[in-house]
Amino acid sequence: MAGRGVTIRDVAAHAGVSLGTASRVLSGHPATSADARARVTQAVTELGYRPNAQARSLRLTRTHAIGLLVSDVRNPFFADVAHAAEQAALGADYVTLLGNANENVEQQDRYIETFLMQRVDGVVLAPQGRGSGSLEALIESRMPVVFVDRTVEGFDVPSVTTDSRPGIEEAIASLTAAGHSRIGYIAGPQAISTGRQRYDAFIDALPRHGIDVDPSLITFGDFQEQSGVRAAQQLLAAPDRPTAILAADNLMALGALAATRQRGLHIGSDIEVVAFDDIEWLAHFDPPISVIAQDAGAVGRCAVELLLSVVEGEEPESVVLPTTFIDRSTRTKS
Amino acid sequence: MAGRGVTIRDVAAHAGVSLGTASRVLSGHPATSADARARVTQAVTELGYRPNAQARSLRLTRTHAIGLLVSDVRNPFFADVAHAAEQAALGADYVTLLGNANENVEQQDRYIETFLMQRVDGVVLAPQGRGSGSLEALIESRMPVVFVDRTVEGFDVPSVTTDSRPGIEEAIASLTAAGHSRIGYIAGPQAISTGRQRYDAFIDALPRHGIDVDPSLITFGDFQEQSGVRAAQQLLAAPDRPTAILAADNLMALGALAATRQRGLHIGSDIEVVAFDDIEWLAHFDPPISVIAQDAGAVGRCAVELLLSVVEGEEPESVVLPTTFIDRSTRTKS
């Protein structure tokens, strides 16, 4: 095959750049000039150089560290994603440096700058808000980047996300079949793709099950616990309170459970609470909490696989994983 | 005062080394020779150089990143420590790169190598087991290091730990006052300082409350959930089963709660479970779970404060924070 015997040294000589520059361009490091990138890219095309066959030599210039920026390290969903990602990365001889954006754009940007400065070989990140200058700079730097959990409009980056629709559809079907017609919803921030997608899925599912959308049953939180407490208090204080509450992530569900107990309401008999994310703790509640599950382990592993394929010069397709409803309500056991 | 006007340039000139070498030695970076370290140290002494006054110039050679290696990122105690540490570090203009040892010495060692290679300005770590060659190399590198949560015998490193004794003493006092005389214990690994200290505290507390130590009521886990399930199953299968179980961390307590429910036992009426670590989830169980609390936020903040003082050339004292028993059992409410 063409290009079999071509080495990175040939590419560097043909492009008229140093071996180090050629290596940096090919491994996607930020410290390269537009001119060097153009010359190396042209040399690769003209010589038929195939970087995959050269992985071993390229690796010499790598730090073998990747950056993983999660939204909230105290959210068990992201802890599970981080653990799975780190194990997948170690299997490929990469160490994962974890950063916590804490659901905050400025903190995300600090981590992006640090990852660039530390010359990690690539970054997996759950982007905050609607993007930022640092996020643009990261992507323009040619550092390999993969989005996880969330996407940002206008950024053409491979991503691993889940499709919230099937899980929310099943949850609404199950709740309405059990006689619930007043279903409260604690939505995530609408500046975040998962917040918008889950909100839309909820709004779309109701009419299919014969329920009109009632804006007084919809509240908005920030994916962190205290906002779930406040949102549930608001829902439960209404004269015609909901008989079931669906929360768009597990921390807001935890807040809703606290607010429910504070009002002396019992899960199962007085009210149902359905959480997003199947984290261990919710299965151990008594009674256990029904959840819309996404496979955090698969999300983490898949994000690292995508990133490593970008590092190897490939252009992987984005991946969308499914969600399912896990019904733990006592009524189904009778 | 002596040394007021002495600059790092004077130190470099006096030591006969470059400014960069002097700076690296003074900021504790690993890439320095023994000879350079000796010459710079001697120059510092002879000139009366005071690094604290020079923090601004030293900073130019820093990465402004610190490494934080936790034992288990999926353990909410460490997630809380990491979050508090990261906020404290950001307040001092440092970004925290988080690593997860996953309760595993080899994985710890990979992170240590990465932190050294990435030239972080210092490392906070919860050491695994009884130490390792990489841990020795880290400390010999003169990289500023602080231990958190755990210590390792033979390593003279400033640390932030908690004293388990008062919390365990209060827990045993409360349980015996409520009539419990068969108290099961799920111990942590005895190769880890916290595992040993909590075990010793439990064994010492029993006789003070009129209870003989019964080895059949003591089991050992690895601080992760599945070991808690197995240990509790063993305790609950005994003909004369304990009426209360104390677990040496929150994940083993979670496993014990699962095993308890599997046997159809109800918390509060049939058996008490007391967990180590006051994490949010345990307060939201119904009934809520009593805990031996350590202040994870204070642990994280304090570790970063100690590390930054080491970075500034100081020699801080180790800090031991208290533990307290939080009794959430229903009996206290009657």
Side-chain angles (χ1 to χ4, degrees), chain A residues 86 100 107 118 225 280, chain B residues 86 100 107 118 225 280:
Chain A
E86 149 221 310
N100 176 30
Q107 196 160 323
Q118 296 282 348
E225 185 188 344
E280 293 249 36
Chain B
E86 149 221 310
N100 175 30
Q107 195 160 324
Q118 296 281 350
E225 185 188 344
E280 291 250 37

Side-chain angles (χ1 to χ4, degrees), chain A residues 240-321:
Chain A
D240 190 10
R241 69 161 175 83
T243 58
I245 293 177
L246 173 57
D249 85 338
N250 70 76
L251 292 180
M252 295 194 301
L254 181 63
L257 289 166
T260 303
R261 208 177 54 244
Q262 278 162 17
R263 281 190 89 86
L265 298 174
H266 290 281
I267 303 296
S269 47
D270 300 323
I271 192 160
E272 292 282 346
V273 171
V274 175
F276 216 98
D277 299 335
D278 184 27
I279 61 160
E280 293 249 36
W281 298 97
L282 292 171
H284 291 298
F285 274 61
D286 187 16
I289 304 300
S290 299
V291 295
I292 295 162
Q294 44 182 347
D295 186 342
V299 169
R301 282 189 297 277
C302 197
V304 166
E305 279 166 26
L306 248 62
L307 184 70
L308 296 184
S309 77
V310 177
V311 169
E312 296 294 334
E314 292 161 24
E315 294 186 355
E317 294 287 320
S318 291
V319 174
V320 180
L321 296 167

